[in-house]
Structures are given as structure tokens and as C-alpha cells.
Amino acid sequence: MATFFGEVLTSYSRAVEEEDDEDLDENEEDEQIRRELEEKREVHLHWSPEVSEFLRSGNKLQCSDFILAVGHNAARFLSVYVLTSANWDTVGHASVWNERSRAVTGQTSEESACVFYRNKENPSVLICQVICYIAEDQLFQWTEKVFDCLQHRELNVTVLSDSSVADYKAADYLCTSSAPFLRSLHTANFSGQPVCQSLEQPNIITGLPAAVLNHCQVHRISTVVYQCYSDVMGPDSVTMETYKPALSKLGKSVQLDSSPSTDVLRKFVKPTDIQSNLYI
């Protein structure tokens, strides 16, 4: 603003000052909301008292074989063919909160959708079942936190993963019509022979299996992912059996129940769960 004598005076706008204050308050409020959401979306591991004490002492779990099952059919395959024996202890679970998974405070491991089991006779064998959704921004921290608890030396990782045959890209329709079927991907340090052919391009692995495979490739951990393509969305016995060859090479580390009882199958496979997704 200029006076009569040409002197320039600084003019302050009260309206501008109030707008700046409002913007500052909004930015602080947005930042607080962002921090609260980040805290809420943090992945938490809850181990048994014995394991927690062991990890607090600066130790890592001695693990020769880590089997990760992601998806309803993969997880329930382990429930039907492996975990039915009394040789497994529940040693922990992970709680995840996001737009599709709601972790509940005080939730027990049996109620969790991400549970860890350890073999009683061979404590170096660890199993994890994941049937909850893990968001993209949570994949890295889930993988980092879990593998930070494991001894990497001589560790072998086997990942079983569910996928829809509708997501499988192939020039030959006859290949997709033979669902369910397995495809594999492995790290450079994997020295074994996969039980099925490799996943063909341009198909990719996504989600938690991809995050684990990437982590293990970087840290030079022997890892193989077996992805089962099925035309059934819900758990069904035919899709579950497709995973059997994937664990057959683990030998004595994991004992498979070759003929689970009808009661066990009925517990994990319900007729209402069976639904084709071939045309979805």
C-alpha cells in the first residue's frame, strides 16, 4: 500500500492470516490421522511365552523348513493332510488390520487368520497358514518381521499359494481346462527340482507369495513357490490334493496323512463353499 508521499507500507490481510492458520491446523490434523492409520495398519506378531522369551534374548528360531500356505485351499490342505496329527504346537499368530481384514484386540491364535505351528518332534519345522488379506503396504513389513525371527542359515522355504484359473494366461485353452494344476517359481539358491513346470510368461505371482519370494531372493534363501490354479473359489478336496506333491520332497520333515478321514474333510470342505469361478 502506498501513502500520499509515495511511502510503501506493508499491508496485512487478516483474512489471509486466518486462512494460513486454518491450513496449518488442517495439515497437522491430516498428519495426525496419517500417523494413526499407519500405527493401526502395522503388522503385529504374537508369539507364545516360550518363543517370546527366546526371541527377547536376541536369539532367532532355528528353522530348517518353513512352510507358508496362502489362501483357503492351501491353508486347509495343511489342516487336512498335515496338522491333523498331534505333532504340532500353536506357537504364535499375526494380527493384521486393513480394509478387508479386521484384527481384533485380544484375539487368540485359534481365531486368527494367520497362525504359526511348530513340529513337536522336530522343532526346526515351522508352518504358517494365512487366509486373511494382507494389503500391499503391509506385505514388506509382514515379510521382514517374520523372517527376522528365523535363522537364515540352511533355511528352506516352501510357499503354497491359491490362484484363480481365470488369471492364468495361456495360448492353449486345453491347459486351463485341466484345472487344478500347479506352477512353480524359485529363487536362485533353490537347489532342488520343483515337482511341476515353471510358471510361464507373462504370468506373474503377486501378493504375499511374491513378497516372500523377493525377500528370499535378496537374502539368498532357498525358496520355491507352488501356485495352484483352480476353477473353484472355495475349499474343495480336489484342489487340496493338488498340493500333495509339493510337500512330498520334504521327506521326514513333514508327514502327510495319505487318507484323511471323512469327518476331517467334512470339517474343512463344505458343500456350500464349492463355487466355480471359471467365468468370473
Side-chain angles (χ1 to χ4, degrees):
M1 180 176 66
T3 67
F4 178 78
F5 299 101
E7 182 183 4
V8 178
L9 301 177
T10 303
S11 176
Y12 295 95
S13 171
R14 187 173 182 179
V16 172
E17 285 182 341
E18 290 177 351
E19 288 179 1
D20 289 343
D21 290 341
E22 289 177 0
D23 290 342
L24 183 60
D25 291 340
E26 288 179 0
N27 290 336
E28 290 178 350
E29 184 178 354
D30 292 343
E31 184 64 27
Q32 181 180 355
I33 293 173
R34 190 178 298 109
R35 285 196 301 267
E36 291 176 354
L37 278 175
E38 288 177 355
E39 291 176 0
K40 198 169 187 179
R41 294 176 73 89
E42 185 177 353
V43 177
H44 297 279
L45 298 182
H46 310 273
W47 297 104
S48 65
E50 178 186 354
V51 174
S52 296
E53 183 64 29
F54 184 79
L55 294 173
R56 273 196 299 267
S57 301
N59 302 307
K60 294 183 181 294
L61 296 176
Q62 300 295 323
C63 190
S64 60
D65 289 286
F66 178 46
I67 303 167
L68 173 65
V70 183
H72 288 281
N73 274 302
R76 295 185 182 183
F77 160 73
L78 294 181
S79 295
V80 171
Y81 289 92
V82 179
L83 296 172
T84 49
S85 69
N87 295 331
W88 298 89
D89 283 328
T90 305
V91 293
H93 71 279
S95 57
V96 179
W97 186 97
N98 53 52
E99 57 273 15
R100 287 168 56 181
S101 297
R102 295 291 185 266
V104 180
T105 304
Q107 186 181 55
T108 63
S109 58
E110 289 77 10
E111 297 168 336
S112 175
C114 180
V115 188
F116 296 89
Y117 302 89
R118 187 166 61 177
N119 194 294
K120 294 180 181 179
E121 298 177 356
N122 188 0
S124 66
V125 179
L126 192 69
I127 280 179
C128 179
Q129 293 177 304
V130 181
I131 58 174
C132 63
Y133 171 74
I134 300 178
E136 186 174 347
D137 62 309
Q138 297 171 319
L139 295 173
F140 177 78
Q141 60 168 309
W142 189 99
T143 306
E144 284 286 318
K145 288 187 175 184
V146 170
F147 280 87
D148 189 52
C149 298
L150 307 180
Q151 181 70 45
H152 290 182
R153 185 180 180 183
E154 298 182 354
L155 172 62
N156 296 287
V157 179
T158 302
V159 182
L160 310 179
S161 174
D162 290 357
S163 188
S164 168
V165 72
D167 296 329
Y168 183 77
K169 300 175 179 64
D172 185 7
Y173 171 75
L174 293 178
C175 181
T176 59
S177 64
S178 61
F181 57 89
L182 286 179
R183 290 294 184 267
S184 66
L185 278 180
H186 59 81
T187 61
N189 285 68
F190 180 75
S191 59
Q193 182 66 34
V195 300
C196 63
Q197 69 183 76
S198 299
L199 183 64
E200 309 92 334
Q201 294 183 346
N203 295 288
I204 59 173
I205 287 177
T206 60
L208 187 58
V212 169
L213 188 68
N214 181 68
H215 177 91
C216 293
Q217 175 67 25
V218 171
H219 293 274
R220 300 179 180 180
I221 300 173
S222 175
T223 302
V224 58
V225 176
Y226 291 108
Q227 185 143 292
C228 179
Y229 290 91
S230 176
D231 57 352
V232 177
M233 291 182 64
D236 78 296
S237 57
V238 176
T239 302
M240 289 181 193
E241 287 186 5
T242 309
Y243 288 110
K244 290 174 71 174
L247 296 190
S248 61
K249 288 204 170 186
L250 295 182
K252 297 181 179 180
S253 298
V254 176
Q255 296 293 328
L256 288 176
D257 185 352
S258 58
S259 55
S261 67
T262 305
D263 292 338
V264 171
L265 284 172
R266 189 180 293 115
K267 179 181 178 181
F268 294 100
V269 182
K270 300 178 181 178
T272 54
D273 288 337
I274 300 177
Q275 178 184 356
S276 175
N277 66 349
L278 185 59
Y279 300 103
I280 293 179

